[in-house]
Structure formats: C-alpha cells, structure tokens
Amino acid sequence: GGGDGGGGGGGDGGAQEVKEDDHHSSIVRGRQAGEWWSRAAAEGKAAVEGKLRIGGQRHFYLETNTALALPVEGGGLSITCANQNPTRTQTAVAGALGLPLATVDVRVRRIGGAYGGKLNAHLPTAIAAAVAAAKHGRPVRLHNDRSDDMASTGGRPPMEGSFRLAVDQGGVVSSIELTAAFDSGVVDGGAGDLTMGVCWADNAYRADDFAVHGSFYNSGVVGSTACRAPGVVQTIPLHELAMEAAAEAVGLPADAVREANLYATGDAALCGVTVGENGFNWNLPAMWQSAKARWEVAARREQVEAFNRSNRWRKRGLRMVPVKYGIEDNGGAYKEGCSLGVLADGSVRLAHGGCELGQGIHTKAAQAAAFALGCPLGGVSVSDTSSLATPGSADTGGSATSECVVKAVLDAAETLNARLLPFRPAAGGAGEGAWEATVKAATDAGVSLAASGWFGGGAPRGGAQFDYA
C-alpha cells in the first residue's frame, strides 16, 4: 500500500515522502505542489487543473452471502460459507464465541461471485449462523435474499477527485498532483480503497514532481466494501483525465502525451518497486509501439478526423490508453499453504488455502501437482478449502493468489519428489504405469508420501523473489 515508500521520481533519485493514518494516505515525490505550480509559467509550462466525480458501484454477484454452521464433537463448529478468507472468518467466529481457533473449521468449495465483496462483508452472516448453532446445538443455515444482501454489503465507494499539473510544449508532464476523497459510508474505509488508490494512481506514467493525496470520509449510507481493484478504478481515470487536459492545453494528440510520459525500465514507481526489475516486467512501451503499428492507429485516426469533418451531429473518437495494475508482495501479504498426499494407488489428494471464485484456482493447483510429480492429471483430486487444512493462508485477492498457491504446491512436490527419487529407476522409467509402480515401491518401503508446502513473504525456499512472469 501507500506505506511502501522509497525510490526516486522517474529513476532520478529524488526523495519520496509517505504519510498514512486511518483516514488519509499521501505520497509526495520531488517538489511540493505549491512550489512547481507557482513557477510553471516562468518555466515555460502550461498550468492545468480540473475535477472529476465518480459514482459508486454495487456488487451483484450471483450468490448472496450465505453460511451453514454445524456443531461438531468437542464443542467446535464446522462452517461452510461463501468467503474469500477462511482464516479471517475462522478468527472472527472464534472470537465471537470465545473458542480456540483449532475448534473452528471454515470451509468453502467455490463461491458464486465475490471480487472483494466477500472479504469482510460476509462476516455478519457467518457469525450469526455460528452463534445460533453454538447456542442451540443444531445446524443453522442463513442465506440472504437479494434485497437484504445488497442493502447490507455496500460496494465501491464514490470518489471526488481533482488534479493540477504542469506540462511543457512537448507534452511532458513534469509535475502533477492528484487528490481523491472516498465516501466510505458508515465504516472506516473499504479494504484497499485508500492505500491502493493512492499507491497505484501513477498508472503507467512518471513525473519528476508527483503528489497523490487520498482520504475517506463517513456518511449515513451502508459501508463500502472492496470491489475489484479497489480505489484504483477511481484514481486511474482521474489521472487519465489529467493527461487529456494536458494534451488539450498544449495542442497535442492525447496519445502522444501519454506516450511521452510512460515509465521506462529503471524508473521507480510510487509503490516503491523499480520498473523492469525483480520480476516487475515492463513490456508496455514495446506493446504500445506494436499496437500502433498492428492496429494502424495513424491511418484510422485520419479516417476518424475525416468523418468528423463531414458529419455535423455524429462524431467518432479514437484513443490509446495504457494500464499498469500493481501486483507485488506488500510486506509479505501473500501467504498460501498446501498439503499434498499420494495414496497407495497413485492417486493424489491436494488441499490449498485459496478460494475458488471462478478463476480456476483448483484446476491450476491440480495441474501444478501433476506437472511437478509426473503423475496423471486425472488422478489429482482437490479438497474443499479449509482453515484447518492449510492454517494461516491469506485472502484470495490481489490478483496473485493462484500463482502463490501454485508456488506452495511446487514446494510440497519438491519434498515428495526427493522421497520418491530412489524408487523411480526401479519402476522402469517413465512409461505407462511408471508412476503407480514408483508409488507402490515407496509405499512398500514405508516412505511417507504426505508433505506440506508454503509460499509467503515473497521468498519461497531458497530465498528467491517470486517472479510473476
């Protein structure tokens, strides 16, 4: 989030100041806005400012919030509910009932839509079902109807934004300040809206002087929740509006201004990562040039302009807009575990900490296990996600959970492969039936074919940074 500071503006080594509290988040790099704003004209630059208001967005996933709580032997509970974080749900339920975490199992097979709406907003439903089940000693199922669900879960918060910038006659935006205020309703901020909105407001653009100020305020409406790319969906359009205004001020095509301000390899992004290093691939400039050629942008723009000159009431437009969406390990936030077990007949049972939201995470995990172990994909079965099977796993969110689960699977498979290695030659090579023969030989020798795997903190076994490529 916004607290990841460090690094220079656009690779020039400038200082960066990061400030954050419960209601505000700011990143300031280079000169203060008042300084460059007052000197823009003297430096031969156009000073431009503007405002943007973006309304909210409500979740409308197919499955509303639901939970089934079952009392289990010993005073514990098994809770099946639609959620993106069984660990957080387990902690909340255990806290509400005063139970040890080890007696609360939160399970999920798949979710009928989420995208942030089931990170936190599901908790009242899960806790209510758990409390009732614990009190009466009977199974309790809650399933919100659509109207109640939408009235209680909120969504993406509205944003009031403003910008001011200084741009030279060549279209280079040397200085920019973005300000965004989010209406968070009755809660203190939707997950990620403030820090993500500030940290990734740079989109794909550098500037020597860069300031982003974010805040949220409360109002008498239902509290906001995370909603796909929280905060970023609001602040990137604010930045793009600023680029349009800069282009208009100096009389250049907006695409040319965007291209002139793209990050280059070696630049430091606002969130602290260095563009083009440590797994942060930066192929956007090359993609931009390729797209212009393949899509024949120049010729199509001439056609658009000719059409507009010939038509008074109907108009056409053409724009190229880049998008950089940050995916990096935010202080070890990505943590996923897995358990892998090979049974005597060669079939494989896999459990992992990610939640299936429609992204195919179970399939990816099974494919990784089959590839790493050299076993048939059809023989890999994936268990329901369980807070007890893979304790400590983090949210399914941030666009990287599938990759982190796969990394955990590969970690467990590495352990199993080391145990199976002495038995592979005896199995007669890699032909049909070789896997089953290898497993039988290891099982007959009393070798354990159960292992756990883990990915967390950006440093799997060996200490290497996870390369998203």
Side-chain angles (χ1 to χ4, degrees):
D4 278 337
D12 63 2
Q16 175 168 300
E17 180 182 7
V18 179
K19 294 182 178 179
E20 190 168 58
D21 59 34
D22 290 342
H23 287 72
H24 304 84
S25 180
S26 294
I27 300 177
V28 178
R29 172 180 293 170
R31 295 179 295 174
Q32 295 291 326
E35 180 182 352
W36 58 256
W37 180 257
S38 63
R39 293 181 53 82
E43 295 174 354
K45 301 172 182 176
V48 187
E49 60 184 332
K51 295 181 178 181
L52 174 67
R53 185 185 189 281
I54 298 179
Q57 182 182 10
R58 302 304 296 273
H59 284 290
F60 198 75
Y61 30 66
L62 294 178
E63 178 192 28
T64 61
N65 282 297
T66 183
L68 171 64
L70 304 173
V72 296
E73 186 176 353
L77 287 169
S78 175
I79 304 166
T80 301
C81 72
N83 76 100
Q84 293 177 245
N85 190 331
T87 299
R88 177 180 295 141
T89 310
Q90 175 192 43
T91 302
V93 169
L97 294 172
L99 294 174
L101 291 175
T103 64
V104 177
D105 186 17
V106 176
R107 308 177 66 87
V108 58
R109 181 63 188 177
R110 64 180 58 86
I111 304 168
Y115 290 99
K118 292 170 183 172
L119 283 170
N120 298 313
H122 71 286
L123 291 175
T125 303
I127 292 172
V131 170
K135 178 178 180 178
H136 298 289
R138 301 182 62 180
V140 173
R141 179 176 181 267
L142 293 180
H143 190 170
N144 296 346
D145 65 28
R146 178 65 64 185
S147 59
D148 289 342
D149 199 72
M150 293 193 70
S152 62
T153 56
R156 191 185 306 280
M159 182 205 74
E160 303 255 357
S162 64
F163 67 85
R164 54 178 175 169
L165 60 85
V167 55
D168 66 20
Q169 296 304 307
V172 175
V173 177
S174 59
S175 308
I176 187 169
E177 180 183 50
L178 305 174
T179 303
F182 300 93
D183 180 357
S184 191
V186 297
V187 301
D188 286 346
D193 282 303
L194 186 57
T195 53
M196 290 174 64
V198 167
C199 190
W200 297 329
D202 55 348
N203 194 16
Y205 307 118
R206 72 180 304 281
D208 294 330
D209 308 311
F210 212 136
V212 186
H213 307 291
S215 63
F216 72 79
Y217 58 92
N218 298 116
S219 64
V221 298
V222 63
S224 63
T225 66
C227 189
R228 180 61 186 150
V232 186
V233 170
Q234 295 97 310
T235 56
I236 284 183
L238 177 62
H239 199 158
E240 291 299 336
L241 178 63
M243 301 305 283
E244 292 279 342
E248 185 175 349
V250 296
L252 292 175
D255 296 357
V257 171
R258 289 186 168 97
E259 183 177 337
N261 291 280
L262 290 176
Y263 275 128
T265 297
D267 287 346
L270 283 186
C271 58
V273 300
T274 300
V275 174
E277 297 180 6
N278 297 322
F280 194 115
N281 304 295
W282 191 242
N283 53 11
L284 194 151
M287 292 172 61
W288 184 276
Q289 298 301 328
S290 175
K292 285 201 303 183
R294 292 178 59 191
W295 301 342
E296 301 178 342
V297 172
R300 292 168 68 181
R301 178 165 286 111
E302 291 179 359
Q303 296 172 6
V304 167
E305 293 172 351
F307 179 89
N308 290 343
R309 287 192 298 267
S310 302
N311 292 270
R312 181 178 181 182
W313 303 112
R314 295 176 60 203
K315 302 295 181 181
R316 293 175 178 170
L318 178 64
R319 285 289 189 274
M320 289 180 63
V321 180
V323 175
K324 171 182 70 65
Y325 183 69
I327 301 175
E328 92 274 3
D329 186 33
N330 181 10
Y334 293 127
K335 300 178 292 184
E336 297 297 338
C338 110
S339 63
L340 205 55
V342 181
L343 285 78
D345 62 354
S347 60
V348 178
R349 192 68 175 179
L350 186 160
H352 63 79
C355 299
E356 176 59 70
L357 315 177
Q359 80 278 44
I361 194 169
H362 291 333
T363 300
K364 296 170 187 174
Q367 289 173 329
F371 174 79
L373 294 173
C375 67
L377 176 59
V380 181
S381 299
V382 181
S383 301
D384 294 353
T385 300
S386 161
S387 60
L388 294 183
T390 52
S393 293
D395 295 342
T396 295
S399 302
T401 306
S402 293
E403 289 75 8
C404 295
V405 163
V406 165
K407 201 72 173 179
V409 171
L410 297 179
D411 185 42
E414 184 178 342
T415 299
L416 291 178
N417 280 330
R419 297 173 185 172
L420 289 168
L421 183 60
F423 304 95
R424 289 191 186 270
E432 184 176 352
W435 166 253
E436 291 79 4
T438 298
V439 171
K440 184 179 186 306
T443 301
D444 290 346
V447 174
S448 170
L449 296 183
S452 62
W454 184 256
F455 176 85
R461 180 181 299 175
Q465 172 71 26
F466 175 53
D467 189 344
Y468 192 70

